[in-house]
Amino acid sequence: MSTSGNVTAILSAVLFGVSPVACKAIVGEMSAATLAGLLYLGSGIGLSFFLFLRRQPFLSPMLDLSSRQLVFLGGAILSGGILAPLFLAYGIKYCTAGQTSLLLNFEAVATTVLAAFVFHEYVGMRVWMSKLLVVLGVVVLVVRDASALSVSVPGLAVLGACFFWGIDNNLTRELEELPATVLAAAKGLVAGLFNILVGFFFLSATATPFQAGASLTIGALSYGASLVLFIHALRQIGSARTATWFASGPFVGTLLSVTLLGEETSGGFWLAAGLMLAGLFLLFREEHVHLHEHEALAHDHPHVHDEHHLHSHYEGEAEGAHQHFHVHKELVHAHVHWPDIHHRHRH
């Protein structure tokens, strides 16, 4: 399960990692709100079409959410779908693609801090050390003149986007019963339409047909498909570790910004990249194992028949991944585990 979650997070990261470079190539004079809206609308349209092809219901799963879960869903859409893309689009417009890509690593820091201190997710020493290295890299990039404490405003905007996505990641983790594609499609449609309307009514938004088409395509892949994979990873290995593995994506954007866009870099840029990459490597040998107790629980979520799902089915009913209401009996055991839906215990 941990390996699957790690790989899923990295695939999500690669898809998202190319977006700053692709957006930098097409942004032109588009406003931040227009770019953000088109990216998320592309995500929502692409995923809605996918749901239609699979004949998967869209509205009914959301109507089944509790009032608490609806609050989490609204908070995730506001923070991750509306505020974060606006901040990021501003940063993309005025920062280099390479700087934007590296600064996106701060999302892992924001997610981990919130996961540990607000949502009480277990975070080990290796994870904290990796975050410290990312923070040092961020300081190198954002602080222009240490003697005068001059900072990059576009760089701070990217950090603001990371903070709001950190909130979004932790709220999204609490919505396990909502299918990942449905959740991502809802975020895309609501956030995309909202930002486009803001751009149209308040910012005299304009975009050429090429810019609009390219933005929608980037959104469908780098935001839509990436978000579905990210949600699956959240449910397998928790917020802190998903965000840390997701930090591999910005390095894809960094390499593309240098090789394809020909952006100039400095010694400080590569020092920051080295610090952040070192933080990522700290997680390669992380393991978390101890004796823990599972209380009796009944819920409905996608699963396979592993050591936590040993319930019976009719013959041929439960081949591969499936979803239905099921009951967990009390269980005490020890094994390597991560803060997935069944391991949110305190430490």
Side-chain angles (χ1 to χ4, degrees):
M1 181 67 77
S2 64
T3 301
S4 174
N6 295 343
V7 172
T8 303
I10 291 172
L11 289 175
S12 171
V14 171
L15 283 174
F16 184 72
V18 303
S19 63
V21 177
C23 290
K24 190 69 176 179
I26 66 164
V27 63
E29 298 300 318
M30 276 196 297
S31 68
T34 303
L35 176 60
L38 287 170
L39 289 171
Y40 264 80
L41 187 61
S43 166
I45 292 173
L47 293 175
S48 297
F49 183 67
F50 178 75
L51 289 171
F52 173 76
L53 291 179
R54 296 189 63 184
R55 298 182 180 180
Q56 187 173 344
F58 179 70
L59 290 177
S60 56
M62 288 187 285
L63 295 177
D64 292 335
L65 295 176
S66 66
S67 56
R68 179 174 179 270
Q69 289 174 318
L70 286 172
V71 171
F72 282 153
L73 177 60
I77 292 174
L78 175 62
S79 59
I82 295 175
L83 296 176
L86 282 173
F87 278 75
L88 178 62
Y90 178 85
I92 287 174
K93 193 172 179 68
Y94 297 105
C95 269
T96 67
Q99 289 172 330
T100 302
S101 295
L102 284 185
L103 287 173
L104 284 173
N105 279 297
F106 188 72
E107 180 183 342
V109 178
T111 300
T112 300
V113 171
L114 291 168
F117 295 108
V118 178
F119 292 88
H120 308 294
E121 182 176 307
Y122 173 76
V123 179
M125 183 56 65
R126 279 180 174 265
V127 178
W128 284 124
M129 290 297 295
S130 74
K131 301 308 140 191
L132 176 60
L133 290 170
V134 171
V135 170
L136 291 175
V138 167
V139 171
V140 171
L141 281 177
V142 172
V143 176
R144 289 174 166 175
D145 184 352
S147 61
L149 292 181
S150 174
V151 299
S152 163
V153 174
L156 291 178
V158 177
L159 297 185
C162 292
F163 172 74
F164 287 116
W165 267 320
I167 296 174
D168 172 26
N169 294 340
N170 282 284
L171 292 177
T172 297
R173 193 199 68 168
E174 301 298 313
L175 298 168
E176 280 101 347
E177 295 182 12
L178 196 61
T181 308
V182 173
L183 175 54
K187 279 186 181 182
L189 291 173
V190 174
L193 289 172
F194 179 88
N195 282 323
I196 286 176
L197 290 174
V198 168
F200 182 79
F201 286 108
F202 298 103
L203 301 173
S204 301
T206 58
T208 67
F210 169 76
Q211 288 175 320
S215 299
L216 290 171
T217 302
I218 295 169
L221 295 174
S222 291
Y223 283 64
S226 174
L227 182 55
V228 172
L229 292 170
F230 188 88
I231 292 170
H232 280 299
L234 282 175
R235 295 172 179 179
Q236 292 174 314
I237 57 175
S239 300
R241 286 157 189 83
T242 298
T244 303
W245 285 111
F246 189 76
S248 59
F251 294 102
V252 175
T254 301
L255 292 175
L256 290 176
S257 70
V258 175
T259 57
L260 295 183
L261 299 183
E263 292 182 348
E264 295 184 2
T265 57
S266 64
F269 176 90
W270 291 112
L271 172 60
L275 288 169
M276 294 176 177
L277 195 59
L280 182 63
F281 282 132
L282 275 177
L283 286 190
F284 275 131
R285 295 185 62 82
E286 186 201 17
E287 285 192 351
H288 177 62
V289 55
H290 62 86
L291 188 69
H292 57 278
E293 178 181 358
H294 296 270
E295 297 180 353
L297 175 67
H299 60 174
D300 182 336
H301 71 99
H303 61 279
V304 295
H305 280 183
D306 54 19
E307 60 187 313
H308 298 99
H309 299 90
L310 300 178
H311 48 263
S312 60
H313 287 268
Y314 295 111
E315 184 177 354
E317 185 183 22
E319 296 178 359
H322 58 288
Q323 179 171 348
H324 61 87
F325 185 80
H326 56 279
V327 177
H328 295 270
K329 297 180 180 179
E330 291 185 8
L331 177 65
V332 178
H333 62 173
H335 65 102
V336 175
H337 61 279
W338 312 101
D340 57 21
I341 188 173
H342 298 106
H343 297 94
R344 300 277 166 81
H345 48 259
R346 290 180 176 270
H347 295 78

